Amino acid sequence: MDYRKIIIVGENNIGRSFMAECILRGILQKRKCQNIEVVSRGLVVLFSEPVAPGAAKILREKGYRIEDFRSSQLTDEDLASADLVLAITKGLAEEIKESFDEATSCMSIGTFIDTTETEERIPEVTEENQETYQTCFDILEPLMEAVADRIIGELLV
C-alpha cells in the first residue's frame, strides 16, 4: 500500500478533524514518514474560517506544530487525489460514500473509530467548554498513533 495523501473529514473542519490532522501529521513526521500529506476537510463548511482557538491551544501545549489553517469543504477533487479518507464518525464516512461521485475512486473511505463506544466518547468541542478540547485530544492521540502504526506497517510490507 502506498499512501501519499490522507484526508481526515469532520463536520465543519475547525475542531476535531483539524486536531486529528495535526496529531497524525506530527506522529508521521516524528517517525520519519515525510512523503505523506495529511489534510483535513469538512462536510459542512459554509465559509472558510480559522481553527477553533481551544483546539489550537491544546495542540500547541502538547507540542504539535500548527500551520496556517482555515477550514475547507471536502470536494470531489479531494477524493480523487486521496489514497485514504478517514472520517471522524461512521455516519460521516457513509455520508461521503453516498454524496460524492469521486468516493468510489478513492482507495479507502472509512473511520479510525473501531467501536461505537469509542465514537461516542469523542466529544463535540466547543469554546464554551474548554475541557472538551482536552478530552478530545486525550482520545484522538492514541487513535492517531494506531493509524500511524497501521500505515507504517503497510508501507513496510
Side-chain angles (χ1 to χ4, degrees):
M1 195 68 60
D2 185 25
Y3 295 107
R4 292 173 308 280
K5 185 173 184 180
I6 300 169
I7 301 175
I8 299 174
V9 182
E11 294 85 7
N12 57 19
N13 193 217
I14 62 168
R16 299 183 302 177
S17 58
F18 166 75
M19 291 175 74
E21 170 196 342
C22 288
I23 294 167
L24 182 58
R25 183 186 310 109
I27 292 168
L28 290 172
Q29 287 173 347
K30 286 178 193 172
R31 296 184 184 188
K32 309 291 187 231
C33 294
Q34 303 298 329
N35 297 328
I36 301 173
E37 179 184 9
V38 180
V39 298
S40 61
R41 300 290 186 257
L43 277 184
V44 183
V45 178
L46 302 177
F47 56 90
S48 181
E49 58 185 307
V51 66
K57 180 179 183 272
I58 192 73
L59 288 166
R60 284 189 186 103
E61 287 174 1
K62 300 298 183 177
Y64 288 94
R65 201 173 111 228
I66 298 180
E67 301 172 4
D68 287 338
F69 181 86
R70 295 194 66 82
S71 60
S72 296
Q73 175 73 38
L74 181 66
T75 66
D76 279 318
E77 292 79 23
D78 288 324
L79 293 173
S81 67
D83 299 302
L84 177 64
V85 176
L86 298 171
I88 293 292
T89 66
K90 292 176 183 178
L92 285 173
E94 290 305 313
E95 194 171 333
I96 293 166
K97 290 175 188 175
E98 293 170 7
S99 301
F100 287 88
D101 294 335
E102 289 296 328
T104 56
S105 70
C106 183
M107 186 177 294
S108 180
I109 297 175
T111 181
F112 49 82
I113 309 296
D114 289 334
T115 66
T116 303
E117 178 183 312
T118 303
E119 184 175 313
E120 290 171 354
R121 286 184 20 232
I122 300 176
E124 292 286 338
V125 289
T126 65
E127 291 301 312
E128 293 79 37
N129 185 354
Q130 292 290 309
E131 293 169 5
T132 59
Y133 291 104
Q134 180 66 54
T135 302
C136 187
F137 178 87
D138 291 342
I139 295 167
L140 286 176
E141 190 176 46
L143 292 171
M144 293 299 97
E145 289 276 358
V147 168
D149 289 345
R150 184 165 180 187
I151 291 168
I152 292 168
E154 288 181 12
L155 291 174
L156 296 174
V157 172

